[in-house]
Amino acid sequence: MSQPLRLGIAGLGTVGIGTVRILQTHAALLARRAGREIRISAVSARNRGKNRDADLSAYAWEDDPIALARRGDVDVFVELIGGAEGAALDAVRAAIASGKDVVTANKAMLAHHGQALAEAAEAAGRVIRFEAAVAGGIPVVKALTEGLAGNEIRRVMGVMNGTCNYILTRMESAGLSYDAVFEEARQLGYLEADPMLDVGGIDAGHKLSLLAAIAFGTRVAFDAVQLEGIGRISIDDIRRAGDMGYRIKLLGVAQMTGRGLEQRMTPCLVPADSPLGQLQGGTNMVVIEGDAVGQIVLRGAGAGAGPTASAVLADIIDIARGSRVSTFGQPAASLAAAVPARASAPAPHYLRMALTDKPGALARVATVLGEEGISIDRMRQYGHEDSSAPVLIVTHKTTREAIDHAFARLPATGVVEGEPVAIRIETA
Amino acid sequence: MSQPLRLGIAGLGTVGIGTVRILQTHAALLARRAGREIRISAVSARNRGKNRDADLSAYAWEDDPIALARRGDVDVFVELIGGAEGAALDAVRAAIASGKDVVTANKAMLAHHGQALAEAAEAAGRVIRFEAAVAGGIPVVKALTEGLAGNEIRRVMGVMNGTCNYILTRMESAGLSYDAVFEEARQLGYLEADPMLDVGGIDAGHKLSLLAAIAFGTRVAFDAVQLEGIGRISIDDIRRAGDMGYRIKLLGVAQMTGRGLEQRMTPCLVPADSPLGQLQGGTNMVVIEGDAVGQIVLRGAGAGAGPTASAVLADIIDIARGSRVSTFGQPAASLAAAVPARASAPAPHYLRMALTDKPGALARVATVLGEEGISIDRMRQYGHEDSSAPVLIVTHKTTREAIDHAFARLPATGVVEGEPVAIRIETA
């Protein structure tokens, strides 16, 4: 058996401690699978005195993650600090400069600095692995980078923020408003310190941008991800979409089109009976479509100590086994600059609006839609509530641009009350 | 860029030609991802003259796959011949003896000779990869061997024979008998030359035994797989199970229990609204449960030229990238002998029987079940058809042994007509 693989683990939150625990409890199993002992040399966290419910006495302690990254007895620097900048980034840079391989769960750092870090690592002959950064325990980075490497990837889709999916499914099942469930989620500790990372789609957008880079051989382009959170989703829309056979998900979609790379992390309607539509609670799902393989669906826990530590361990074992795959599946220098598509590919849309109780109201709206080239697939008008009646429309394929044009003309019809709503329908 | 990786492809059926096609159409993409050119040196098949709808003129031809396996210009022997013995096995042995790595889609060969081949390969410093042997395009071998390598695996389950799943879902949707759908499937070319490979569960059992070896670190033990095909599933049971909220699947289950390794490939009831229950047609699904990761579900096409070739390519690219993972995830010599569990773990069961129209008939059956320690969770009696009434029972957890004992006593009650049916219920 070869030399032990020696780890320095920076960040001892739930994932860090989860990783330590697996290394302690499964040492023999991991050694058998990795072909060598995997050993923790040193650990680091902000507060040494904190009670962590794990015995760390066998490991050297560093207050400074950079010092940890530079230790001579560390082969792999395991970055579980988090945050796009600051300590995590400085320490990863130091680790690469000191000739260490890096395992990280840090989607924000990679979304912003992935290209530079990948180039630095490759120049130093080191690898950066980040299975834990995307969809927790689901081995999706590996599936895309390795398992489906024979495919030209057509599309990557997914529900990749468990908190948003929890909020949306809880709104539906309990009939509660967004604000009420948001507050519940806050109290349950499901939300990040900055909740916009979750409900604004930023966290999920980070993940999507990393998968897109692998899928399409392009540089990570998080800034080009079209982001829209779930804050404007109403219980009304959840119910009405249900009536039409759909569920609302915060859905990431990345696809290469003739007009460039499309990356969206936005609320979408998906068929209620599709795998994505049936996804409940905090579970994640990623759908990958390749030219040879067709559609592959991966489902599992997207967060939590165990699942995320499972992903961290997979990367560590890969390194122990000698796997040296490029960060994004091909040499960083060969990644093409992403050319963002200026508009999304056409899709059916769900429209909801309130029409006043006047003869010909629906005809006027239909006329405007028709003049903007939007054709109607299905329509449903409900009974009048107060002075207006809710109307739901499922369109045939159309662009968001056409809908925006039509919506701009609706006030002039004099029959639409309040703001109309449009949500894209994504079908598998 | 390093030296090209040179392939010898033996077997030019749909998968072989599918593999050649991807290598031809995606040469640049594959080279970028693999870090080196992947080139076909030579091919082999039984009949050189056959029209294969692919241009093979650039490759050397060998009539004999063993000669192909021994060629000096071949680094990786790609075995797509099939069959547990004969040409495939001889050629793979020759390849290993000649210092080649092996990529194969041959589940039968590995189920019977996997241990010996893995030992031979490791002794020669070579690898055997077999992603294409299990669940077609789904990267499940990789997920289990690498992506979830940090977990102690609790259970592996799956629907791994698309033909059986097609037959069962078609019986349900069209209300046709097993025999009628079997004949349809035969005419559509969905069945193997020996249909028992499919409907007898043998093919799926081969796959399960390979996954179990990886999951539990045991030698492949196909002979210990409890096999039961779908030939005795009636349209009646499909309908009745549906009434009770279940669907019938040919389900593989491998788990390590206190009493040994349990491997079953048998018809089971699964909740209709579970991921396995919702699986329609020829699609495959594998569910993996690990102590850290929880439950991971993988879904995709289990057969076909494209999906299977996608898996073959993944293995080839891994080898091109220098990955050298042991065949079953740890050195073959370290795999433990599988100790088969003598009986399955207790589970709820679905029972169906026809009771004669006599007062107290149900009470007599319930008494027998109770005396054998079988407790009833739910029961449903239908109206009388002719002289008897169908009765469905869902039991609490019990053993097949207890049910067999109870069934043996039923004739003596004088109230049961025909053969009662018992099917295990597997819950996630």
Side-chain angles (χ1 to χ4, degrees):
Chain A
M1 202 172 270
S2 337
Q3 292 291 307
L5 185 77
R6 300 164 305 170
L7 311 178
I9 300 180
L12 296 171
T14 52
V15 177
I17 293 298
T19 302
V20 169
R21 279 241 182 76
I22 296 179
L23 287 161
Q24 290 176 342
T25 56
H26 289 346
L29 178 71
L30 300 177
R32 220 159 45 233
R33 289 180 179 161
R36 56 203 280 206
E37 188 195 339
I38 299 173
R39 181 188 293 175
I40 302 172
S41 293
V43 296
S44 161
R46 252 191 309 212
N47 179 356
R48 184 168 189 176
K50 191 172 163 189
N51 179 12
R52 292 195 169 82
D53 197 24
D55 181 3
L56 305 174
S57 59
Y59 320 132
W61 179 275
E62 296 280 359
D63 287 318
D64 178 4
I66 296 181
L68 180 74
R70 290 184 178 143
R71 285 178 67 99
D73 60 357
V74 164
D75 303 309
V76 180
F77 180 67
V78 182
E79 187 277 300
L80 303 171
I81 302 168
E85 321 282 337
L89 182 60
D90 294 342
V92 166
R93 284 180 176 148
I96 293 167
S98 316
K100 324 290 189 192
D101 292 323
V102 173
V103 171
T104 176
N106 193 330
K107 59 222 84 165
M109 178 182 72
L110 291 175
H112 289 285
H113 306 287
Q115 179 67 24
L117 291 174
E119 286 178 10
E122 288 169 28
R126 298 293 103 196
V127 297
I128 301 177
R129 306 297 304 257
F130 60 93
E131 186 63 81
V134 184
I138 306 175
V140 59
V141 171
K142 181 172 280 286
L144 201 51
T145 314
E146 305 172 29
L148 304 175
N151 290 262
E152 189 174 284
I153 301 298
R154 304 284 200 215
R155 182 165 65 159
V156 178
M157 294 198 292
V159 169
M160 290 182 269
N161 183 284
T163 302
C164 287
N165 204 47
Y166 166 81
I167 291 175
L168 292 171
T169 53
R170 172 92 177 129
M171 284 172 71
E172 181 182 1
S173 62
L176 291 170
S177 73
Y178 172 79
D179 290 338
V181 178
F182 178 89
E183 186 51 30
E184 263 187 21
R186 207 186 52 71
Q187 286 179 9
L188 288 165
Y190 288 3
L191 287 163
E192 302 266 356
D194 173 4
M196 280 309 287
L197 284 174
D198 286 317
V199 298
I202 297 170
D203 164 83
H206 287 151
K207 297 169 185 168
L208 183 71
S209 72
L210 299 178
L211 294 184
I214 302 168
F216 305 112
T218 48
R219 293 164 175 239
V220 184
F222 170 66
D223 291 344
V225 177
Q226 181 197 334
L227 281 181
E228 190 187 317
I230 61 169
R232 298 197 310 178
I233 300 298
S234 70
I235 177 69
D236 242 28
D237 281 318
I238 288 178
R239 284 199 187 119
R240 304 298 193 200
D243 287 356
M244 305 293 270
Y246 297 101
R247 286 218 174 83
I248 303 181
K249 299 289 172 192
L250 178 66
L251 188 70
V253 179
Q255 58 190 338
M256 188 60 80
T257 71
R259 296 159 311 162
L261 175 63
E262 199 177 315
Q263 299 177 96
R264 283 178 276 117
M265 182 58 68
T266 62
C268 285
L269 269 62
V270 295
D273 61 357
S274 68
L276 284 165
Q278 288 164 350
L279 196 67
Q280 299 286 313
T283 312
N284 279 201
M285 180 175 284
V286 181
V287 178
I288 304 172
E289 293 167 1
D291 61 345
V293 81
Q295 188 183 73
I296 295 286
V297 179
L298 311 170
R299 180 181 182 278
T308 312
S310 165
V312 170
L313 258 298
D315 284 344
I316 292 170
I317 293 169
D318 271 358
I319 291 172
R321 282 170 167 165
S323 161
R324 313 295 300 169
V325 180
S326 305
T327 312
F328 298 106
Q330 59 184 70
S334 74
L335 294 165
V339 178
R342 250 171 286 152
S344 300
H349 281 72
Y350 154 98
L351 312 181
R352 177 172 63 85
M353 57 192 78
L355 296 195
T356 54
D357 188 7
K358 285 186 196 162
L362 194 56
R364 286 193 222 177
V365 168
T367 302
V368 168
L369 295 177
E371 285 171 5
E372 296 297 339
I374 300 166
S375 90
I376 295 175
D377 177 25
R378 288 187 289 149
M379 201 271 300
R380 188 176 295 193
Q381 175 161 354
Y382 290 80
H384 284 80
E385 302 168 348
D386 306 322
S387 65
S388 69
V391 170
L392 307 186
I393 294 169
V394 171
T395 74
H396 284 292
K397 274 191 183 181
T398 185
T399 63
R400 180 71 210 204
E401 222 173 4
I403 291 171
D404 288 343
H405 282 158
F407 278 10
R409 290 177 53 192
L410 288 181
T413 62
V415 298
V416 177
E417 290 198 351
E419 285 289 310
V421 169
I423 308 177
R424 185 183 174 94
I425 299 174
E426 194 77 36
T427 48
Chain B
M1 202 170 269
S2 336
Q3 291 292 309
L5 185 78
R6 301 164 305 170
L7 311 178
I9 300 180
L12 296 170
T14 54
V15 177
I17 292 298
T19 301
V20 168
R21 278 238 185 77
I22 296 179
L23 287 161
Q24 290 176 341
T25 57
H26 289 346
L29 178 71
L30 299 177
R32 220 157 47 233
R33 289 181 178 162
R36 55 204 283 206
E37 188 195 339
I38 299 173
R39 182 189 292 173
I40 301 172
S41 292
V43 297
S44 162
R46 250 190 310 212
N47 179 355
R48 185 170 189 173
K50 190 172 164 189
N51 178 13
R52 292 194 168 84
D53 197 24
D55 180 4
L56 305 173
S57 59
Y59 320 131
W61 179 275
E62 297 279 1
D63 287 317
D64 178 3
I66 296 180
L68 180 75
R70 290 186 178 144
R71 285 177 67 99
D73 60 357
V74 165
D75 303 308
V76 179
F77 180 67
V78 182
E79 186 277 301
L80 303 171
I81 302 167
E85 322 282 336
L89 181 61
D90 294 342
V92 166
R93 284 180 174 148
I96 293 167
S98 317
K100 324 292 188 192
D101 292 322
V102 172
V103 171
T104 175
N106 193 330
K107 59 222 82 163
M109 177 183 73
L110 290 175
H112 289 284
H113 305 286
Q115 179 67 24
L117 291 174
E119 285 177 11
E122 288 168 29
R126 297 293 103 198
V127 298
I128 300 175
R129 306 297 304 256
F130 60 92
E131 186 64 81
V134 183
I138 304 175
V140 59
V141 171
K142 182 172 279 287
L144 201 52
T145 315
E146 304 173 29
L148 304 175
N151 290 263
E152 188 174 287
I153 300 299
R154 304 285 200 212
R155 183 165 66 161
V156 178
M157 295 198 292
V159 170
M160 292 181 268
N161 183 283
T163 303
C164 287
N165 204 47
Y166 166 82
I167 291 176
L168 292 172
T169 53
R170 172 94 178 128
M171 284 171 71
E172 181 182 3
S173 63
L176 291 171
S177 72
Y178 172 80
D179 290 338
V181 178
F182 178 90
E183 186 52 32
E184 264 186 23
R186 205 186 52 72
Q187 286 179 10
L188 288 165
Y190 288 2
L191 288 163
E192 302 266 356
D194 173 5
M196 280 309 286
L197 284 175
D198 286 316
V199 299
I202 297 170
D203 164 83
H206 287 151
K207 297 170 185 168
L208 183 71
S209 71
L210 299 178
L211 294 184
I214 303 168
F216 305 111
T218 47
R219 293 165 177 239
V220 183
F222 169 67
D223 291 343
V225 177
Q226 181 197 335
L227 281 181
E228 188 186 319
I230 61 169
R232 297 197 310 178
I233 300 297
S234 70
I235 177 69
D236 243 26
D237 282 316
I238 288 177
R239 284 198 186 119
R240 304 299 192 198
D243 287 357
M244 306 293 269
Y246 297 101
R247 285 219 174 83
I248 301 180
K249 300 289 172 191
L250 179 66
L251 188 69
V253 178
Q255 58 190 340
M256 188 59 80
T257 71
R259 295 159 311 163
L261 175 65
E262 199 177 315
Q263 298 178 96
R264 282 178 276 118
M265 182 58 69
T266 62
C268 285
L269 267 62
V270 295
D273 61 358
S274 67
L276 284 165
Q278 288 163 351
L279 197 67
Q280 299 286 313
T283 312
N284 279 201
M285 179 174 285
V286 181
V287 178
I288 304 172
E289 292 167 1
D291 63 344
V293 81
Q295 188 183 73
I296 295 286
V297 179
L298 311 169
R299 180 181 181 278
T308 311
S310 166
V312 170
L313 259 297
D315 284 343
I316 293 170
I317 293 170
D318 272 357
I319 291 172
R321 282 170 166 165
S323 162
R324 313 295 300 168
V325 180
S326 305
T327 312
F328 298 106
Q330 60 184 68
S334 74
L335 294 165
V339 179
R342 249 170 287 152
S344 300
H349 281 72
Y350 153 100
L351 312 181
R352 178 171 63 85
M353 57 191 78
L355 296 195
T356 53
D357 188 6
K358 284 187 196 162
L362 193 56
R364 286 192 222 178
V365 169
T367 301
V368 168
L369 294 177
E371 285 171 4
E372 295 296 337
I374 300 166
S375 89
I376 295 175
D377 177 25
R378 290 187 288 148
M379 200 270 301
R380 188 177 293 193
Q381 175 161 355
Y382 291 79
H384 284 80
E385 300 167 351
D386 304 322
S387 66
S388 68
V391 170
L392 307 186
I393 294 169
V394 172
T395 73
H396 285 291
K397 274 193 183 181
T398 185
T399 62
R400 181 71 210 205
E401 222 173 4
I403 292 172
D404 287 343
H405 281 157
F407 278 11
R409 290 178 53 193
L410 288 180
T413 63
V415 297
V416 177
E417 291 198 351
E419 284 289 308
V421 169
I423 308 177
R424 185 183 175 95
I425 299 175
E426 195 77 35
T427 48

